Each structure stands twice: as C-alpha cells, then as structure tokens.
Amino acid sequence: MSDDIRASEVLQGGVVGPQAPPEQEPPTENLARRELAGTRTLWGDAWYRLRRNKMALAALTWIVILVAVTLTADLWVPQHFGMPNAINTATAEANQFLGPSLGHPFGTNQLGQDMFSQVVYGARVSLSVGFLAVAIAVVVGLLLGAISGFYGGLADTLIMRVADVFLAFPYIIFALLVLSVLPRDFVTGSILPTVLTIGVLGWPSIARVLRSSILSVKQNDYVDAGRALGANDGRLIMRHILPNAIAPILVYATMSVGGAILTEAALSVLGLGILPNNLSTMISWGQMIAQGQPYLTSSPGVVLWPGLAIVTTVLAFTLLGDGVRDALDVKMKD
Amino acid sequence: MGRYIARRIAQFIPVFLGVTLILFFITTVLPGDPVAVRAGTKPLSPAVYKSLRHAYGLDKPWYVQYVDYLGSLSPVRYSPKSGLRFPGPDLGVSISYGRPVIAMFEETFPYTAELAFAAIAVEIVIGIGVGIVAAVKQFSIWDTFATLSTSILVALPVFWLGVMLQYLFGILLQQWTGGIFYLPIAGASGPPFADWQYLILPAVTLASVSTAYAARIMRSQLLEVGGQDYVRTAQAKGLSPSAVLWGHEMKNALIPVVTFIGLDLGAMLSGAILTETVFNWPGIGNMIYQAIGRRDYPVIFGGVSLILFIVLVVNLLVDISYAFLDPRIRLGSKVEG
Amino acid sequence: MSTPRFRSVIVLAAVMVLAVGVLGAVGCMPKAATTSSSSSTPVKGGTLSYYIGEPAAIDPYNAQETEGVQVVHQLFRSLTDFDDYDATKLVPAAASTWTVNADATVWTFHLNPADKFSDGNTVTAQDFIYAWNRIANPNTVNTATKKADPSQISYHLAFVRGTDDYGNAPKGISGLKALDANTLQVTLKAPFAEFDYVVAHPGLAPVEKSLVEGGVDYNGSKVAFGEMPVGNGPFKMSQPWKHNQYIKVVASDTYYGAKPYLAGVNFMEYKDPDTAYLAFQSGALDFSQIGTGKIKDAESKYGDSADGYTSNPGKQVLLGAENSVYYLLINNKISVLNNLKFREALSLAINRQAICDTIFQGSRQPADNIVPPGIAGYQPGAWQYAKYDVAAAEKALADAGYPGGKGAPQITLAYNADGGHQPIMELVQADLTKIGLKVKLNPFADFPTYLKALTAKNFMVGRLGWVADYPIIDDFMNPLFRTTSSNNYFVFPNKTFDAEIDAARKMTDPTQRLAAYQALDKQIGDQVPVIPLMFYKHHHVVSSRVHNFIFSSMYLADLSKCWISK
C-alpha cells in the first residue's frame, strides 16, 4: 500500500496490505459446545465458530454478494444502467454529473458514464486484483518459505536475506519503478502488471509466516515418525507440515486481499493503475477516484461512491480475516 | 550491547547493497533519459546533451556508476594530495535542478520530521486512549464502537481520506461558518494561518491507519495482561482498579504498543508519498516521487539511501529501548530469526 | 468493574477531548480578512500572493518552463518585451530602439542608458554578451556545484552566428559585438526578420558576471546567483529562494520603467493546481490556476474578465487564449497513416467541442489550425480538416479504402499517464470507434518513458502540446514541420516546406512576410501531418482586492501595473 502500512510491515515482517495486529480473544463458550457436538474436524469447528461471529458473517455475506453481483453483471447491469466505459461525445456534456436517479442510482461522472455500472464492474477488477495478487504472493511465498524453513542452512539464509531486501525497499517507490519498467504493450488493458507487481512484492511476509510455522511444527513427533517411515521431503511438507501451517497463512491471505485492493487504488491515484477501455468493461475504483478528484468540490459523488466501495470491501476482508483468525484460534506472531 | 549493535549494522550492509543494486539495475532498464526530460519538447543541442550526460556520469556503464555512487556515500575521503578528510556523504547533484542533493534534503527533511512527530502524537494520544477505553469497557458499546471504527480506519484509502478531509474542513466548513472556521488544506506555511495549523489535516491523515493499529494493539494487550497471575495478585491485594491498571497492567501492556509506534515513526520519517502529495507537503516522500517522474537519479538514490538509513537507526533504537522496557530480553543473547 | 477504574478513563478521555477541542478551535481561527473597497485610482503598497509550481530555475540561464519564466520576467527585462495587451506587438525594454539591415542578418540594439540592475550597476552591452555566452557554451560550469551545467535554452541563440561551433571558438559567440557600452550588434547566421521577437524571451536577459561567478551578498554572506538572482526588472529578490515554499520579491527602486504599485510579490509554490485553488478560495492566494472541473463554479463566484486577460474586482476569471496548442501526432512511417485520406478521416471524426466542454468546462477551445488565435496572422479554419464532421470522416475513410473501418488495422493512442491526458484520449477513442475503427489506449507510465517512445518512433498516434516561445507563426512552422527539427516526431518530410520557411524568414516587409507564413500554414494543414485538437486558454482567477492585473497570452503577468485596494 503506502506510507501508512509500512509500520505494520516492519512490525509483522511485511504485509501485502493492512493487517490487523496480533490480538487474542478470550476463549468463548464454544469449547463446551464443541465437546457436546462430538466428532468434528478442525475445519468443521472453525466454520462453526465463524458462523457465530456476527461481524465476520456480515463481512462474508458482503463478499459473497459482491462476487455474485460481479459474476452476473453482464446479464443485467448494461441493460439497465449502460456499459461502464461507454462514452457518447455528443451527449457527454449534457449527461455529466447527474444526481442519483432510478436510471443512475449513483448518478453519472464527468464523462457522462453511469457510476453504478462503473462501481459494479470495478468490483470485478478490484476483487480479481485482490485475489490474484494474494494468490501470487502465497504461491511464491509458500514455495520459498517451505524451502527456507524445511531445509535451513544456506538456502534459508539466502532466501531470508532476499526477503529482507524486499521488505527494506520503500514499497510504493518499488512498485512505481517496476510498473514503469514493464513493457507497455503488456500493460495496456490488462490487470496483469498490477497484479504481478503487488503479488511479487507481497511474498516475503508469507514466506516468513510459513517458515516460522514450519520451524515450530518440524520439532513435533509426527514429523519424525513420518520421516522414520521413509516419507520423502515433498510428502512430508505436503502431508504433515503444510496442513498445520496453513491456518496462519489463510488468516494472513484473507486480510491481504483488502490490502492488495488498497494498493491498486493507490497506484491508480499515482497514475499507474489499471486503465479503462471503452471496448471493454474494465474499470478500477482507484481510477474512478483519480479521474474524479478534480471535480470533487462541485460533484463530490464522483469520488464518494468508488471510495465507499473500496472502504466497505476492504473492511469486509479485514473483518473476515479477524473472524477466521478467531475461528482457527491462530496467534498471529512472527 | 555493543556487540549486538555491531551485528545489526553488519546485517544491514548486505540489505543495503541488495536494495541499491536492484535500484541501479532497474534504472538501466527504466526507459527515459533524465537529460532529455530536462529539455522537454524543446530542442537540445548535441553538444549540450553530451556535456550534461558527461557531467552526471550517465555516459559510464551502470556498474561503474554504482561503484562511484557507493564511494560518494562514504563520509571519509582520501586523496594523496589532501590526505584523509571527513566531508560527510556527498549525494551528488540533482539533474533536474542542478543543486546538491544534500541541500535539497536539508530543506525537505525537517518537514517530513515535523509531520511524522505530529502524526505520532495523534497516534499516542488517540490510539492508546481509545485502546484503554475499549479494553476497560470490554463488550460495552464503546468497545464495539472502537473495534468497528478502527476496522474502518484501516480500510480507508489514505488519499481518499485526505481528499475528503480537505473537502470537509477546508471547503464545507468554511461555507457553513461563513468563512470564520476552517483549516488550511495544502502547503506548509503562509497567511492567514500560523505554520503549525498547516500540520493538522496531514498529520491526522497520516496517523489514521496507525492510530487504529495502536488502539487495537493496546486493547488486546491490556486484555491479555489482565488475565495474568500478577495482575490477579495485585487485584487480590485490594488495590483499586485504576492502581492496577496504571501501576501493573500498563507497564507490560505498553511494550508492544511502544514497539509499534517506534517502528511507525521510522516509517513516517522515511516519507509519506501519498499524504505529502495530497496535502502539497514539502517533505522527502513528495520529493522522491517527483524525482522518479523526472528520472532524477541522484535524488532517487540519495532518497532511498536516506530512507534505509533512517529505518535502520529507528529500528535499532526501538530494539534497544525494548530491552530496557522488558528485562526478560537480553539483546546480546537473543537469536535473530 | 468498579467506579474508580472508570474515573481515570473518563479523566483521560476528557483531557483528550479537551486537547482536540482546543487544538481545533485555535486551528480554525484565520486572521480576519481585509475588507476591500472599490477604488479605481491606483494605491501604493501591499503584497500580492501569486501561485506557481516549483520552478526548475529562476536564473534566466535556464528559464524554460512556465513557472520559472514567470518569476524571471519580474526580476529581469530582456532587450525587447511583448506588449501586455497584445502580445503580437513588441515594446522597448532594455533596448529603447533597434534596427536591422536589409537582408535581416545584422541587428543593432541601442540600450536604454537608464537601465540598471537592482544593485545599482548600469546594464551594458557586455552584460548581454556575457549572459548569452553563458547560455551558448556547452561547458558552462555551475559555480555553486562546480559541475558542468550547460543551459538548456541555448536553442534561442541558434540563430546567432558562432553558436554552432562554440566549442571551437574560445573567444565566445562570434556574432556578438559591443559597438559601445550601450550598443549591441548581433549578426545572424541566416536571415531572420523576426529576431526581435526572439530576444524578448525572458531567458535572454542580461546578468552581471561578478555576481554569477562570485555570488550575491545577503545578510553578510554569499548566496549562489541561481538562488537569489539580481536583475534589471521591476522587482528584486528580498531573500534567497525558499525551495518548495516561496520566492519573495519586492519592488526595485532602480527599475528604469514606471515603478510598481505593489510593495512586493510572494510567489507561493504549490505542487498541484487543485490545492492552489483551494488555497485561493481560503484567501491565502491572490492569483491561482483553477483546477479542471471548477471553472463553471469559479465563473459564477468571481465573474468573467472582460477581455480574458485583465482582472478587476468582480471580473476576475481569466479565460483568454494562450499561445499554445494541444495536438495529436501521427507517425507517418506507418503505411496506413501515410494515407492522406485516412489522416483526414481521423481529423474529421473527433468532436473537439465535446472535449473542451466536458473535460475542460470551456477552459480550452477547439483548434481549427495549428496556429492559435493569439498569434499575429492566425486564420480561423485554415486547416480544413480540423473540424468535426462525422459524415465527411466516414466518406474520407471509405475513400482511403476502408469503408466503415473494414480492413483498417487497429489504431493505438499513445500518451503519458501522468498528465491528465487519459480522459481526452478516452473521448478520442470513442469518436474514432464511432466511425468504425478499432482503437486501443496505449499509455506510457510517465513523461520520460513517453518521450523515449516518441523519439524512437514507437507509436501510431500520440499527443503533445506545443507552447510558443515567440508569438509568431514561424515558431509553429519551423520547430514542428521542418524536416530536421527535433520536434518533428511524426516523421513528416517535405523539403519544399523547409525552403518556404527559409524564404519567409528573409522577408523584411511585415505584410509580405505574414502572407507567406499564412500560405504556408494553409498548405501544411491540407496535408494533415498532425491533428490539432485544442487551444489552451487561461484558467486563472485573481482575488477581488487586486485591480488591473494583466496576464498575457504569452503566460506572463505584468505585476508592475496592478494594485491592491486597501
């Protein structure tokens, strides 16, 4: 993200985005109920506890609604509200800055485009960026974290020092430079460059989380037992170590989705985000804010709606992450 | 302690070399020529172009430039003629402005520091305050309110918050009060306001996310400490709740909060690009951002070096103060993860 | 939970609330604004707050971008000056009279003997020779940093004999000669009948060698010349430049012209025009740009200036045309774009009015020529394809061999993503899509990257703005369309144009010369080598306490003529 998350990056060994600090809720009455319910898996328990957390449930519901809306958008949004990036230069001036109405629930923007349609399609871009960037960070982070934690030695030292370098690099400056370097043909009309940049910059924190859980799991008897039975390294990691290290990663990843969305928005404001294209439906909330900012004083709506969309979505991922953490009883310590 | 500091500095060196090496490598593939950019679309004679490229060492291979750059960071100079001298690091001359980079940092860094300390003050007062209230009144409406509002703060895009605050306190407030009450929204000085009034909105914006974190950490630490034996013992001794809170709980619960705020200070001192940009604040974040847009390499390199150095020093100070706050930690024997 | 525990919390909370409240209340109390009375007789005194961005330099030596030039223009006066009310005319400045020989190669400037620098020294021909040599020398050393720091505005002097081979001529520019202390003779390498417009540029002002090389005295110590330049203009620096914050100047008592009414001017630096306008609204600035999207609001609040260039109370919004144009470049190397009919189709398809009205709220006007209206000899509609006509565009596209856009390759629109060009390109994209073309946006991360792509001819259709240095048609024809010009990014070779430019430059008869340039302008327009989109206009506002504020089409304010009502 930006200046403001750097502190938490330093504290917690780097994040893809804002992340809640270590917190521990006191044990709830769930334990007793769990006993009564008899045989449940770890995940079953977690799901049970998550459902009882009203905030997390509300957050999950909001995310499900967003996903559903973006997936079905093509079926109903353009028909009623227009394509998000459509421009008609002949009517643009007459249609700009219209207030909210039935046909334009969020009004129109400076180019006479329907803001509701833009916010809906913007969700598609924001969610894709969030999920994909975190996926990249998780894949790279898991791979390097596993090597680092499992094998130790030179590989560990090397990987952890490279991670230090990544974390020490001023985040937004790095992102600006990387995005300036990427070939423009590749960048145009695609979310890939932004996703790659945010994702690649996010791996060190995942690697660190995994590494420390591997270090603590590695000492356990069942790992030794597995090794004694002749399991190879890959099998040990996949079957024994990862399942036990996955909980903190999951919590971490959930919260990072919001962070990635914020980062994309910040890059858009600095002129390096995802671009609209009137031949496609691609539009980013950050872009909407960046393009609407000059008109803020006369038409605050152009900045208000995409801003609210970002806030509610990021908030949902934060609260869901809180809920998942409590449900899995993860202590977020590095 | 001395050994610990020495080891931390030794660890810093490869990280520093790694970051600057990557930076230099990126600039070799970064399109754009600082000299051409300086001229814009106006013609530049080939002789002037060549002379400028040479003056800034841009005609050398990048690794030679890198070695020259590392040399320029050294505070010590030696030449057979003038012997050993200690002129301090020389960060070179800005390509866009033709001025020493050091002089440019001397102008901008005080503003970054001012903003950082103001933001930290907000963070301490409001962050810790809200955290205490939420913990003391756990499960109350105040606690829920604190939890929710800190979650929202964390989810706010900084630039959006900044722009909205400008609109509310600079424009709307002025309209509502007929021009009597409002805040300056951009810049760092100038009538009709006193200089420190310019700090208010940028400091609040910069502090927003960190304040939320500080509050959440404070709250969770107090709750955790509250369940521990020594606190129960203190309560059993018949001490008043406030005596327990201030005399026993706070002492331990504050450690992670202080750590967080210390590290945050390091991050803020290294410049806040978005906040500084939104509020037109003349700090180093803004300066480095502008330098990227002009390919002003001496400013970019000098800025990043300065940031790395500040973060190192602040982190080191935090670690050392940590040892003083928590006697269980012995720095000399602590194994680094 | 018992009460004492709460008490401390409540006390703490109360202290916090109190602290925030006091902070807020004090913070919100700006000093009372001075009430303005409408006086039409000039009043002496007062300090004007003037918005600028951080200049790259305020030493005339590197005065190139608009911000630095605005300051230099207050501190210095060149040989001639543009008339405030009609920039196409010249008025005497450091030179009171000047003459030119029959073939427009030798110019003689007679300096005003009353012209003094603000340190009291008289301006001599030697000061000009020193200043110009400093600019032309590719190895000039910056005395403050001890590094070679050649001037980037040496192109102004490219007309003068002996500037091409400067390095081989150690005696300096051979075309410059001081006939006596007050007479400067300039010999050009080729005829140029409008050279007196070139020397009006603020960058070509005189400087004192002793101050440039030895520094300027300030409070008992030496300050680098570039931080506190000393000039011969109506104002002088009162303290060294406070970078990223302000430049403060006061009226100079040695100025040869009418003394300014103002006691001084504070040039307040802002990174972003939007924040500057907010500061203007809060009363911190007397002169500001109006951010895009706030023009209509400003017009209703502050009223339109009568002529677009002069502000008086109640008529404070300046929307006069500037001498600059925003245009699309066409890479003529690409075969489809080498097709004249295709270029006509592109030019005819774009709804320029919509761009000006929707995005700029009327603060730009549709371009019907590459030469803007503020230039002497501007011909409305001279570029016949620079207009919006969808039917004609569709016909031209069919004539080009692509009826309805069928078979035409995809067009990419290149621009730099850091300059607010995206909405313009989105509208262009929409219009070109409408006549059946496939169009893709091709943004480059920032200006350096984009410039590199232009130089490498790695684009199809791009954008650029051109700001005239001198208000003459030549400053559009020569830099943009000459075969060898570095700004001819669009690879438009036509040797006959080069010859015609040279022919026009020789003509000492103004009427004949103007007609030649006008014919050339029209002839080039017929070839659609570029697509003019918009003319820039002022989008500035002046506070109600300022009278007779003039901001000319050359983007220069004459602050010696305005006053602040008490």
Side-chain angles (χ1 to χ4, degrees):
Chain A
M1 232 305 276
S2 66
D3 25 77
D4 326 77
I5 58 151
R6 246 187 254 140
S8 44
E9 279 173 55
V10 181
L11 179 72
Q12 303 182 333
V15 282
V16 174
Q19 176 203 353
E23 269 185 77
Q24 285 148 313
E25 295 296 334
T28 58
E29 82 288 12
N30 288 353
L31 276 173
R33 290 181 179 253
R34 205 191 318 168
E35 300 295 326
L36 284 176
T39 53
R40 276 183 204 257
T41 61
L42 166 76
W43 299 104
D45 274 346
W47 174 233
Y48 177 78
R49 278 188 277 184
L50 190 65
R51 270 182 304 169
R52 294 186 56 80
N53 182 335
K54 278 188 209 127
M55 291 251 231
L57 205 61
L60 185 63
T61 313
W62 177 240
I63 293 169
V64 169
I65 290 175
L66 272 183
V67 171
V69 164
T70 56
L71 287 181
T72 60
D74 290 339
L75 300 175
W76 56 283
V77 175
Q79 289 81 342
H80 292 93
F81 308 104
M83 294 292 276
N85 289 322
I87 297 176
N88 183 347
T89 59
T91 57
E93 200 201 355
N95 284 341
Q96 70 182 157
F97 305 124
L98 296 181
S101 65
L102 222 56
H104 304 293
F106 292 171
T108 59
N109 72 357
Q110 62 279 5
L111 299 182
Q113 297 160 319
D114 179 74
M115 300 255 295
F116 178 77
S117 176
Q118 292 201 317
V119 168
V120 167
Y121 278 99
R124 185 182 279 183
V125 166
S126 279
L127 290 178
S128 316
V129 169
F131 287 130
L132 288 176
V134 170
I136 291 174
V138 166
V139 168
V140 179
L142 283 187
L143 195 71
L144 293 176
I147 295 172
S148 185
F150 196 77
Y151 295 106
L154 186 66
D156 181 28
T157 314
L158 205 68
I159 290 172
M160 282 301 115
R161 288 292 87 81
V162 173
D164 286 345
V165 168
F166 268 77
L167 292 173
F169 218 111
Y171 191 94
I172 221 122
I173 294 178
F174 205 177
L176 285 174
L177 289 175
V178 170
L179 280 171
S180 303
V181 164
L182 290 173
R184 295 314 284 179
D185 284 345
F186 165 68
V187 169
T188 309
S190 161
I191 63 168
L192 258 184
T194 313
V195 163
L196 275 180
T197 308
I198 301 174
V200 166
L201 288 176
W203 73 265
S205 6
I206 303 270
R208 281 192 172 184
V209 173
L210 182 68
R211 176 177 173 273
S212 55
S213 20
I214 289 180
L215 288 183
S216 60
V217 169
K218 212 157 79 169
Q219 323 306 333
N220 286 341
D221 291 342
Y222 61 82
V223 176
D224 289 336
R227 199 186 289 279
L229 287 171
N232 65 18
D233 290 352
R235 190 178 160 80
L236 268 178
I237 293 175
M238 291 305 292
R239 294 298 297 263
H240 297 287
I241 293 183
L242 263 189
N244 287 289
I246 208 77
I249 302 278
L250 186 68
V251 175
Y252 192 86
T254 310
M255 292 179 170
S256 298
V257 172
I261 292 172
L262 282 177
T263 307
E264 187 277 318
L267 288 174
S268 283
V269 166
L270 295 175
L272 285 168
I274 286 153
L275 292 154
N277 183 342
N278 78 339
L279 301 179
S280 77
T281 52
M282 199 151 64
I283 175 93
S284 115
W285 290 335
Q287 268 288 333
M288 292 175 69
I289 296 180
Q291 299 297 328
Q293 199 186 336
Y295 308 93
L296 172 78
T297 44
S298 47
S299 319
V302 292
V303 172
L304 189 69
W305 294 113
L308 286 180
I310 293 179
V311 174
T312 48
T313 309
V314 175
L315 179 63
F317 280 103
T318 312
L319 292 177
L320 182 65
D322 279 351
V324 172
R325 180 196 57 215
D326 294 345
L328 289 170
D329 199 21
V330 175
K331 287 180 184 166
M332 290 296 286
K333 288 244 168 86
D334 203 20
Chain B
M1 181 69 87
R3 274 180 60 195
Y4 172 76
I5 294 174
R7 206 179 62 226
R8 282 294 297 265
I9 291 170
Q11 277 176 347
F12 171 73
I13 290 169
V15 172
F16 182 85
L17 290 178
V19 172
T20 48
L21 197 66
I22 290 178
L23 199 62
F24 261 82
F25 179 72
I26 289 181
T27 59
T28 65
V29 280
L30 198 61
D33 176 341
V35 174
V37 170
R38 208 175 121 155
T41 54
K42 299 290 180 183
L44 197 62
S45 86
V48 169
Y49 179 79
K50 222 178 122 199
S51 167
L52 274 172
R53 300 269 308 172
H54 182 74
Y56 289 96
L58 297 167
D59 51 354
K60 297 180 193 165
W62 71 273
Y63 45 86
V64 177
Q65 291 184 44
Y66 183 58
V67 173
D68 285 352
Y69 169 70
L70 289 182
S72 78
L73 287 179
S74 161
V76 187
R77 296 271 186 293
Y78 177 78
S79 69
K81 209 163 79 186
S82 48
L84 210 57
R85 291 178 302 130
F86 298 89
D90 161 25
L91 298 178
V93 175
S94 157
I95 303 177
S96 316
Y97 293 102
R99 307 177 56 224
V101 175
I102 290 265
M104 292 170 71
F105 280 121
E106 277 166 2
E107 285 155 14
T108 45
F109 187 70
Y111 287 96
T112 294
E114 197 180 307
L115 180 59
F117 283 109
I120 289 293
V122 173
E123 203 175 320
I124 290 173
V125 174
I126 298 182
I128 294 183
V130 169
I132 293 173
V133 174
V136 169
K137 293 197 160 193
Q138 200 195 353
F139 303 126
S140 73
I141 182 88
W142 296 107
D143 184 24
T144 315
F145 176 72
T147 311
L148 202 64
S149 58
T150 53
S151 300
I152 291 174
L153 272 184
V154 170
L156 282 174
V158 188
F159 53 89
W160 189 73
L161 175 66
V163 168
M164 284 296 170
L165 287 179
Q166 286 181 327
Y167 181 59
L168 282 176
F169 290 94
I171 304 299
L172 278 188
L173 196 62
Q174 191 183 9
Q175 286 169 7
W176 290 339
T177 61
I180 301 166
F181 289 114
Y182 61 101
L183 287 173
I185 51 171
S189 64
F193 298 98
D195 281 3
W196 64 270
Q197 291 167 336
Y198 282 87
L199 261 174
I200 300 172
L201 291 185
V204 167
T205 306
L206 181 59
S208 61
V209 178
S210 309
T211 304
Y213 283 132
R216 299 181 95 179
I217 299 174
M218 187 73 242
R219 174 181 175 277
S220 64
Q221 287 300 317
L222 274 181
L223 293 179
E224 188 181 339
V225 167
Q228 284 176 2
D229 288 344
Y230 75 97
V231 173
R232 287 195 196 148
T233 312
Q235 283 164 343
K237 278 196 296 191
L239 287 179
S240 74
S242 72
V244 175
L245 176 68
W246 297 109
H248 294 80
E249 291 181 328
M250 281 303 275
K251 228 163 100 184
N252 284 312
L254 265 181
I255 295 172
V257 184
V258 170
T259 313
F260 172 77
I261 292 176
L263 295 177
D264 204 29
L265 180 65
M268 286 176 177
L269 283 177
S270 55
I273 291 182
L274 287 171
T275 309
E276 290 183 358
T277 307
V278 169
F279 289 97
N280 191 35
W281 190 258
I284 60 171
N286 207 331
M287 192 172 117
I288 296 172
Y289 173 58
Q290 309 268 334
I292 292 177
R294 296 194 172 108
R295 301 292 184 272
D296 195 344
Y297 295 130
V299 176
I300 303 175
F301 297 148
V304 171
S305 305
L306 186 72
I307 289 176
L308 289 172
F309 183 72
I310 292 169
V311 170
L312 166 85
V313 170
V314 173
N315 288 8
L316 202 57
L317 288 178
V318 168
D319 280 359
I320 293 168
S321 62
Y322 202 73
F324 282 110
L325 282 171
D326 190 345
R328 286 171 301 182
I329 296 169
R330 287 283 167 268
L331 289 180
S333 59
K334 189 182 167 195
V335 179
E336 285 291 297
Chain C
M1 294 194 186
S2 57
T3 30
R5 188 165 173 172
F6 286 134
R7 211 171 293 147
S8 60
V9 174
I10 289 165
V11 170
L12 186 83
V15 168
M16 271 164 46
V17 169
L18 207 69
V20 172
V22 170
L23 212 104
V26 179
C28 299
M29 212 88 82
K31 281 174 228 147
T34 47
T35 47
S36 62
S37 62
S38 55
S39 63
S40 49
T41 45
V43 184
K44 282 236 169 224
T47 300
L48 187 106
S49 292
Y50 189 105
Y51 154 74
I52 52 167
E54 161 96 350
I58 57 169
D59 184 339
Y61 175 69
N62 261 335
Q64 186 189 43
E65 34 70 63
T66 53
E67 310 309 302
V69 168
Q70 289 180 77
V71 179
V72 171
H73 184 60
Q74 308 309 324
L75 299 175
F76 292 88
R77 280 293 183 263
S78 299
L79 289 168
T80 60
D81 196 6
F82 309 113
D83 187 320
D84 292 321
Y85 299 98
D86 177 3
T88 62
K89 295 198 175 69
L90 288 177
V91 292
S96 23
T97 56
W98 58 94
T99 54
V100 59
N101 70 347
D103 70 346
T105 51
V106 180
W107 290 76
T108 311
F109 296 91
H110 302 281
L111 305 189
N112 182 346
D115 188 14
K116 287 191 168 101
F117 289 106
S118 61
D119 62 359
N121 295 334
T122 304
V123 177
T124 66
Q126 279 305 332
D127 295 321
F128 278 96
I129 293 181
Y130 173 71
W132 290 14
N133 270 293
R134 189 174 166 235
I135 289 169
N137 183 354
N139 297 310
T140 299
V141 169
N142 182 330
T143 47
T145 62
K146 311 268 183 287
K147 246 185 186 331
D149 189 15
S151 166
Q152 64 210 32
I153 62 165
S154 55
Y155 66 90
H156 294 305
L157 296 174
F159 301 101
V160 181
R161 186 199 288 164
T163 49
D164 280 348
D165 53 348
Y166 191 95
N168 308 324
K171 286 202 173 152
I173 307 174
S174 58
L176 293 186
K177 202 159 144 195
L179 298 183
D180 61 50
N182 281 327
T183 313
L184 178 70
Q185 191 189 66
V186 185
T187 310
L188 306 185
K189 60 186 172 209
F192 188 30
E194 290 175 318
F195 184 68
D196 46 353
Y197 281 93
V198 174
V199 299
H201 193 277
L204 299 180
V207 294
E208 290 177 89
K209 183 178 182 192
S210 60
L211 298 182
V212 170
E213 287 170 10
V216 179
D217 287 314
Y218 176 70
N219 277 355
S221 59
K222 292 282 185 192
V223 178
F225 185 78
E227 300 301 303
M228 197 174 168
V230 171
N232 59 336
F235 293 90
K236 61 177 181 183
M237 301 274 288
S238 59
Q239 53 168 284
W241 182 0
K242 188 103 171 148
H243 285 275
N244 292 303
Q245 291 203 50
Y246 53 75
I247 294 165
K248 293 191 173 172
V249 304
V250 294
S252 163
D253 37 18
T254 63
Y255 179 51
Y256 63 86
K259 305 275 178 298
Y261 300 113
L262 297 174
V265 179
N266 295 344
F267 292 92
M268 305 305 296
E269 298 186 10
Y270 286 82
K271 288 256 156 26
D272 157 36
D274 286 321
T275 45
Y277 182 58
L278 293 174
F280 174 85
Q281 287 174 294
S282 76
L285 286 172
D286 289 311
F287 170 74
S288 166
Q289 228 179 71
I290 308 168
T292 317
K294 302 179 186 84
I295 309 270
K296 284 177 185 164
D297 180 49
E299 283 183 276
S300 68
K301 262 191 211 150
Y302 304 110
D304 277 321
S305 150
D307 61 357
Y309 302 105
T310 315
S311 167
N312 276 301
K315 297 174 173 177
Q316 298 156 238
V317 176
L318 309 178
L319 290 172
E322 292 171 1
N323 293 335
S324 41
V325 61
Y326 187 107
Y327 61 100
L328 296 182
L329 316 154
I330 297 173
N331 187 343
N332 291 274
K333 277 260 164 76
I334 292 170
S335 63
V336 63
L337 296 171
N338 203 12
N339 179 335
L340 174 62
K341 281 287 163 197
F342 193 84
R343 295 201 298 271
E344 287 174 23
L346 295 183
S347 184
L348 288 164
I350 300 167
N351 186 348
R352 296 165 178 80
Q353 191 72 50
I355 299 175
C356 297
D357 291 345
T358 312
I359 303 171
F360 298 101
Q361 301 192 342
S363 67
R364 292 197 188 168
Q365 68 188 64
D368 54 359
N369 194 328
I370 194 76
V371 176
I375 306 287
Y378 158 73
Q379 317 163 84
W383 283 44
Q384 53 171 320
Y385 304 107
K387 63 178 180 205
Y388 180 46
D389 187 339
V390 178
E394 283 167 342
K395 187 173 175 301
L397 193 59
D399 292 348
Y402 308 102
K406 264 191 206 70
Q410 177 176 269
I411 302 296
T412 57
L413 297 175
Y415 61 96
N416 47 315
D418 62 349
H421 305 294
Q422 188 181 301
I424 302 171
M425 289 304 178
E426 282 184 77
L427 291 190
V428 170
Q429 184 189 29
D431 279 334
L432 295 184
T433 308
K434 210 191 271 167
I435 62 166
L437 294 170
K438 276 205 259 333
V439 186
K440 199 171 118 180
L441 298 183
N442 182 23
F444 289 80
D446 53 17
F447 190 67
T449 323
Y450 179 60
L451 197 59
K452 174 115 184 166
L454 290 189
T455 316
K457 313 284 181 266
N458 179 20
F459 70 101
M460 278 182 93
V461 175
R463 53 98 358 213
L464 266 185
W466 178 254
V467 183
D469 286 313
Y470 335 113
I472 48 180
I473 295 183
D474 185 272
D475 202 24
F476 291 84
M477 301 296 117
N478 186 62
L480 299 182
F481 303 111
R482 187 183 282 275
T483 318
T484 52
S485 160
S486 63
N487 269 77
N488 192 343
Y489 297 109
F490 30 91
V491 210
F492 187 70
N494 195 323
K495 293 269 197 265
T496 64
F497 290 162
D498 295 1
E500 284 179 48
I501 293 172
D502 290 336
R505 284 181 159 193
K506 281 189 193 136
M507 301 175 185
T508 44
D509 173 42
T511 325
Q512 189 197 2
R513 185 174 66 227
L514 201 61
Y517 276 119
Q518 285 181 326
L520 183 58
D521 176 31
K522 198 163 177 333
Q523 214 182 326
I524 293 180
D526 289 345
Q527 296 296 315
V528 203
V530 297
I531 301 174
L533 278 192
M534 299 170 275
F535 296 130
Y536 290 85
K537 289 164 79 174
H538 285 336
H539 39 294
H540 292 79
V541 61
V542 183
S543 71
S544 61
R545 64 186 195 130
V546 181
H547 299 250
N548 199 34
F549 183 102
I550 307 158
F551 191 49
S552 79
S553 63
M554 286 304 288
Y555 212 87
L556 295 170
D558 188 342
L559 300 176
S560 65
K561 294 198 174 87
C562 62
W563 70 89
I564 293 173
S565 50
K566 284 277 179 310

